Every structure is written in structure tokens, then in C-alpha cells.
Amino acid sequence: MKELLHLPLDGSAHGLAIDNMLAAIHWLMLILFLGWGAFFIYTLIRFRKKKNPVANYAGVKSHLSSYLEIAVAVFEAVLLIGFAVPLWAKRVNEFPAEKDATIVRVVAEQYSWNIHYPGADGIFGRTSISLITDDNPLGLDRTDPNAKDDIATVNQMHVPVNKPVIVRLSSKDVIHSFGVPTMRVKQDAIPGQVIPLWFTPTLTTDQLVAEMAEQFQLKPEGTSPKLFEYIALKDFIAKDSTVVLKKGDVFSQDVVKSLLDAGVTQVLAAPNVTTEIACAQLCGLGHYRMRGYLSVDTKEAYDAWMADQVSQLPQDPVAAVK
Ligand SMILES: [Cu+2]
């Protein structure tokens, strides 16, 4: 059933439980659909006008249909009370300990994701609406001692693998929705509220990309159009050492032609949406371009990224505000 549903790759610890739930619901719906459909066709034939010119005033005497209804209701109750509610309760009540988790503030706005890390001290600095500018979309007060080491990025969220992530989600303007299908999380961002969500990534973005990679044959008469929605997984360098395509770039007809000229007939490519943060609420005209990028890194790569961010922190926090 899971293959039939074409679920995205699962890179989170709780993803399997959600996928199993989805499969169970779809099995029930399939059985109900076939059962009720067959029953409907049976009644059309069995009670056709030609065979039943006069209505039967006694009606059905058997209780079979009642028992079936009860069985379906019991099954649905088991799915709901036995599986769905506990699964949901675990997502909203059983948060991991904050000391063992990567804690990130995410503030949605039309049309981007502002990402806020507390920095080395683990405390989020003060933010204020009055400080919000184009350069400071979070309204972070760099004069606050707790804010000095805070990291702020736009649309770029990095987390280490195999460690719980707690996202404190809010919105500056309208309702958005933080959705990362490969991490099996989706949560509305509501203005005026901070809603926490959590997940534990078990695969890095690179591992997910490798899982989704496909081999493409390059042909002069026409390469599969699917390739042009995919990104390269390595650099392609021509004999005269010009770079034809860099890792992470998208393929185009011209690139394919250059690759063929260079004697390349096969390429490995992968979709570019592996761990995209998609806004899952139609939040305005620019909704389509509200795309963030979650990168699940190895511990070393995450630490390196964080160190790079720290090195870019303003040296004089007071000047940075002015
Ligand atoms: Cu949005």
C-alpha cells in the first residue's frame, strides 16, 4: 500500500508510524469503497423495477447490514483511539528534553522563512517589532547580551542528524504552514502564537538525495524531460577544464549538449526538493516562492556551518543595530 501511495522518502524517526497509519486508513477506505460499491450495484440489479413492480412494505428483516455498520464503526474507533490519537499525543505532548535537542525559532513571513538560532549561550536574544528592518527581519536586538551570539538566516536552516529538533514556529503576518514532507512534519504558523513542533532526522540531506538519485541517458535526439527538473550530484568539467555544470545546479538543453560534446552519455541526478521547507498554506500571491531549505548535516558539517555563521556575526553589535 505504501508503494501505491507514493509517499516521499522518510528521513525521520517517527515517519514510519505515520506511514503505517496512512496505509491502515487507506486499506480501510479501499475495503469500504469496494464493499459499498459492490452492495450498490447488487441493489440496482436485485431491486430493479421490472422484478419489483410493487414496493415491499415489510422491508429488510436481516440484521446483517447493522452488524456490518457496527464492525466498520469499531474498526474506525480502534484506528482513531488506538493509533491516531496516541501518535498525535506523542507529537504534541512528549517533547524531547531541551538540553538534548537543537532548538530553532522559525518566523514565517510573506514570503520567506526567518530562522533564528540562540547561539553558544543557548538563549534566544530579545526581539522587537520596532527593530524589524529589511536587514533585520527578526527584529533582533543585538544590544541585548543574549542576542550577541544569536544566528539569524533567511530560508537556510541547518540541523544535525540523529538529534531531536525542536522548532518554535510563529508568523509575522498571515497563516503559513511549515511543511517538510521527508521529515513528516507539517504545522501551521499562526500570527500571535508560538507553536512548537519536533522531529528527529535520521538521514542527512545527502543520504536522502542519494536515495532519490536516478541514472539518465543523454541522447542527442532528446533526453528525458524529467532530467531538467533535477540537479547534478557532482561537478562536470570539460576537457579544457571549463566547468559545464556544478554540483547542485539544474540541467538544461545547453548543458546536455555540452556534456554530449565532452563524451558524457550518462549522468546521475536527483530532485531538488529533498528537504525543502514548503509553505503548505496558500498565504498570498507570492506563496509559490516561499521556499526554505532544510539541510540535515552530519555533526561535523553542522558544526562547520555554525562556526562559519558565527564568524560572520557583527563585531560591534551596537553599530549593527544603527
Ligand atoms: Cu506562506
Side-chain angles (χ1 to χ4, degrees), residues 187-206:
Q187 171 63 53
D188 276 7
I190 318 273
Q193 283 187 24
V194 177
I195 304 176
L197 66 109
W198 70 281
F199 58 96
T200 306
T202 53
L203 292 175
T204 64
T205 301
D206 282 348

mmCIF file of all heavy atoms in Angstrom, residues 187-206:
data_model
loop_
_atom_site.group_PDB
_atom_site.id
_atom_site.type_symbol
_atom_site.label_atom_id
_atom_site.label_comp_id
_atom_site.label_asym_id
_atom_site.label_seq_id
_atom_site.Cartn_x
_atom_site.Cartn_y
_atom_site.Cartn_z
ATOM 1 N N GLN A 187 3.068 21.956 10.195
ATOM 2 C CA GLN A 187 2.410 22.681 11.278
ATOM 3 C C GLN A 187 2.102 24.100 10.819
ATOM 4 O O GLN A 187 2.968 24.772 10.276
ATOM 5 C CB GLN A 187 3.335 22.708 12.515
ATOM 6 C CG GLN A 187 2.860 23.619 13.626
ATOM 7 C CD GLN A 187 1.522 23.181 14.205
ATOM 8 O OE1 GLN A 187 1.353 22.033 14.601
ATOM 9 N NE2 GLN A 187 0.535 24.073 14.209
ATOM 10 N N ASP A 188 0.874 24.525 11.054
ATOM 11 C CA ASP A 188 0.505 25.898 10.723
ATOM 12 C C ASP A 188 1.265 26.890 11.601
ATOM 13 O O ASP A 188 1.472 26.644 12.783
ATOM 14 C CB ASP A 188 -1.001 26.107 10.923
ATOM 15 C CG ASP A 188 -1.793 25.652 9.703
ATOM 16 O OD1 ASP A 188 -1.179 25.064 8.798
ATOM 17 O OD2 ASP A 188 -3.014 25.891 9.656
ATOM 18 N N ALA A 189 1.671 27.993 10.984
ATOM 19 C CA ALA A 189 2.284 29.097 11.718
ATOM 20 C C ALA A 189 1.218 30.171 11.856
ATOM 21 O O ALA A 189 0.725 30.698 10.859
ATOM 22 C CB ALA A 189 3.492 29.635 10.953
ATOM 23 N N ILE A 190 0.843 30.490 13.102
ATOM 24 C CA ILE A 190 -0.270 31.404 13.349
ATOM 25 C C ILE A 190 0.265 32.705 13.936
ATOM 26 O O ILE A 190 1.030 32.662 14.913
ATOM 27 C CB ILE A 190 -1.270 30.782 14.354
ATOM 28 C CG1 ILE A 190 -1.514 29.306 14.057
ATOM 29 C CG2 ILE A 190 -2.559 31.599 14.418
ATOM 30 C CD1 ILE A 190 -2.573 28.988 13.090
ATOM 31 N N PRO A 191 -0.110 33.862 13.350
ATOM 32 C CA PRO A 191 0.346 35.128 13.921
ATOM 33 C C PRO A 191 -0.099 35.237 15.382
ATOM 34 O O PRO A 191 -1.230 34.892 15.722
ATOM 35 C CB PRO A 191 -0.367 36.186 13.067
ATOM 36 C CG PRO A 191 -0.871 35.480 11.870
ATOM 37 C CD PRO A 191 -1.016 34.039 12.214
ATOM 38 N N GLY A 192 0.810 35.694 16.243
ATOM 39 C CA GLY A 192 0.449 35.883 17.647
ATOM 40 C C GLY A 192 0.587 34.637 18.495
ATOM 41 O O GLY A 192 0.314 34.669 19.685
ATOM 42 N N GLN A 193 0.972 33.533 17.887
ATOM 43 C CA GLN A 193 1.159 32.310 18.669
ATOM 44 C C GLN A 193 2.525 31.713 18.365
ATOM 45 O O GLN A 193 3.016 31.842 17.255
ATOM 46 C CB GLN A 193 0.113 31.257 18.276
ATOM 47 C CG GLN A 193 -1.264 31.493 18.840
ATOM 48 C CD GLN A 193 -2.195 30.330 18.549
ATOM 49 O OE1 GLN A 193 -1.751 29.207 18.341
ATOM 50 N NE2 GLN A 193 -3.478 30.603 18.528
ATOM 51 N N VAL A 194 3.098 31.075 19.380
ATOM 52 C CA VAL A 194 4.319 30.298 19.140
ATOM 53 C C VAL A 194 3.955 28.834 19.328
ATOM 54 O O VAL A 194 3.530 28.427 20.399
ATOM 55 C CB VAL A 194 5.451 30.697 20.122
ATOM 56 C CG1 VAL A 194 6.683 29.828 19.885
ATOM 57 C CG2 VAL A 194 5.796 32.164 19.950
ATOM 58 N N ILE A 195 4.058 28.075 18.255
ATOM 59 C CA ILE A 195 3.670 26.660 18.305
ATOM 60 C C ILE A 195 4.919 25.810 18.142
ATOM 61 O O ILE A 195 5.634 25.941 17.148
ATOM 62 C CB ILE A 195 2.644 26.335 17.201
ATOM 63 C CG1 ILE A 195 1.434 27.261 17.327
ATOM 64 C CG2 ILE A 195 2.226 24.870 17.279
ATOM 65 C CD1 ILE A 195 0.400 27.085 16.236
ATOM 66 N N PRO A 196 5.213 24.970 19.118
ATOM 67 C CA PRO A 196 6.392 24.114 18.979
ATOM 68 C C PRO A 196 6.089 22.839 18.193
ATOM 69 O O PRO A 196 4.963 22.337 18.219
ATOM 70 C CB PRO A 196 6.754 23.777 20.425
ATOM 71 C CG PRO A 196 5.493 23.903 21.195
ATOM 72 C CD PRO A 196 4.539 24.773 20.413
ATOM 73 N N LEU A 197 7.059 22.352 17.468
ATOM 74 C CA LEU A 197 6.947 21.047 16.823
ATOM 75 C C LEU A 197 8.312 20.391 16.920
ATOM 76 O O LEU A 197 9.314 21.066 17.168
ATOM 77 C CB LEU A 197 6.509 21.185 15.364
ATOM 78 C CG LEU A 197 7.471 21.872 14.390
ATOM 79 C CD1 LEU A 197 8.060 20.868 13.424
ATOM 80 C CD2 LEU A 197 6.741 22.959 13.637
ATOM 81 N N TRP A 198 8.357 19.088 16.763
ATOM 82 C CA TRP A 198 9.658 18.425 16.870
ATOM 83 C C TRP A 198 9.736 17.219 15.971
ATOM 84 O O TRP A 198 8.730 16.628 15.605
ATOM 85 C CB TRP A 198 9.955 18.043 18.319
ATOM 86 C CG TRP A 198 9.122 16.932 18.874
ATOM 87 C CD1 TRP A 198 7.842 17.035 19.324
ATOM 88 C CD2 TRP A 198 9.506 15.564 19.045
ATOM 89 N NE1 TRP A 198 7.402 15.817 19.760
ATOM 90 C CE2 TRP A 198 8.394 14.887 19.607
ATOM 91 C CE3 TRP A 198 10.664 14.831 18.787
ATOM 92 C CZ2 TRP A 198 8.427 13.526 19.907
ATOM 93 C CZ3 TRP A 198 10.687 13.480 19.085
ATOM 94 C CH2 TRP A 198 9.577 12.837 19.649
ATOM 95 N N PHE A 199 10.946 16.893 15.599
ATOM 96 C CA PHE A 199 11.214 15.693 14.812
ATOM 97 C C PHE A 199 12.677 15.323 15.009
ATOM 98 O O PHE A 199 13.480 16.148 15.459
ATOM 99 C CB PHE A 199 10.905 15.909 13.327
ATOM 100 C CG PHE A 199 11.668 17.044 12.683
ATOM 101 C CD1 PHE A 199 12.850 16.801 11.983
ATOM 102 C CD2 PHE A 199 11.211 18.344 12.775
ATOM 103 C CE1 PHE A 199 13.557 17.845 11.393
ATOM 104 C CE2 PHE A 199 11.916 19.398 12.195
ATOM 105 C CZ PHE A 199 13.080 19.144 11.501
ATOM 106 N N THR A 200 13.002 14.073 14.718
ATOM 107 C CA THR A 200 14.397 13.636 14.804
ATOM 108 C C THR A 200 14.836 13.146 13.440
ATOM 109 O O THR A 200 14.373 12.099 12.980
ATOM 110 C CB THR A 200 14.557 12.496 15.837
ATOM 111 O OG1 THR A 200 14.001 12.928 17.079
ATOM 112 C CG2 THR A 200 16.026 12.151 16.037
ATOM 113 N N PRO A 201 15.678 13.914 12.748
ATOM 114 C CA PRO A 201 16.138 13.454 11.434
ATOM 115 C C PRO A 201 17.061 12.245 11.584
ATOM 116 O O PRO A 201 17.935 12.251 12.453
ATOM 117 C CB PRO A 201 16.901 14.650 10.857
ATOM 118 C CG PRO A 201 16.982 15.669 11.920
ATOM 119 C CD PRO A 201 16.286 15.186 13.153
ATOM 120 N N THR A 202 16.835 11.220 10.782
ATOM 121 C CA THR A 202 17.676 10.022 10.857
ATOM 122 C C THR A 202 18.562 9.872 9.620
ATOM 123 O O THR A 202 19.467 9.044 9.604
ATOM 124 C CB THR A 202 16.819 8.752 10.995
ATOM 125 O OG1 THR A 202 15.856 8.751 9.942
ATOM 126 C CG2 THR A 202 16.099 8.727 12.330
ATOM 127 N N LEU A 203 18.267 10.654 8.578
ATOM 128 C CA LEU A 203 19.099 10.614 7.375
ATOM 129 C C LEU A 203 19.516 12.040 7.035
ATOM 130 O O LEU A 203 18.729 12.974 7.190
ATOM 131 C CB LEU A 203 18.310 10.037 6.186
ATOM 132 C CG LEU A 203 17.934 8.554 6.236
ATOM 133 C CD1 LEU A 203 17.061 8.200 5.042
ATOM 134 C CD2 LEU A 203 19.167 7.671 6.258
ATOM 135 N N THR A 204 20.739 12.203 6.573
ATOM 136 C CA THR A 204 21.176 13.532 6.154
ATOM 137 C C THR A 204 20.570 13.845 4.791
ATOM 138 O O THR A 204 20.109 12.948 4.084
ATOM 139 C CB THR A 204 22.709 13.608 6.040
ATOM 140 O OG1 THR A 204 23.116 12.708 5.004
ATOM 141 C CG2 THR A 204 23.393 13.239 7.337
ATOM 142 N N THR A 205 20.589 15.126 4.457
ATOM 143 C CA THR A 205 20.074 15.527 3.148
ATOM 144 C C THR A 205 20.833 14.804 2.038
ATOM 145 O O THR A 205 20.240 14.330 1.069
ATOM 146 C CB THR A 205 20.189 17.055 2.980
ATOM 147 O OG1 THR A 205 19.439 17.674 4.030
ATOM 148 C CG2 THR A 205 19.640 17.505 1.637
ATOM 149 N N ASP A 206 22.146 14.684 2.202
ATOM 150 C CA ASP A 206 22.952 13.988 1.194
ATOM 151 C C ASP A 206 22.508 12.537 1.030
ATOM 152 O O ASP A 206 22.436 12.012 -0.080
ATOM 153 C CB ASP A 206 24.440 14.027 1.560
ATOM 154 C CG ASP A 206 25.053 15.382 1.239
ATOM 155 O OD1 ASP A 206 24.380 16.165 0.540
ATOM 156 O OD2 ASP A 206 26.174 15.649 1.692
#
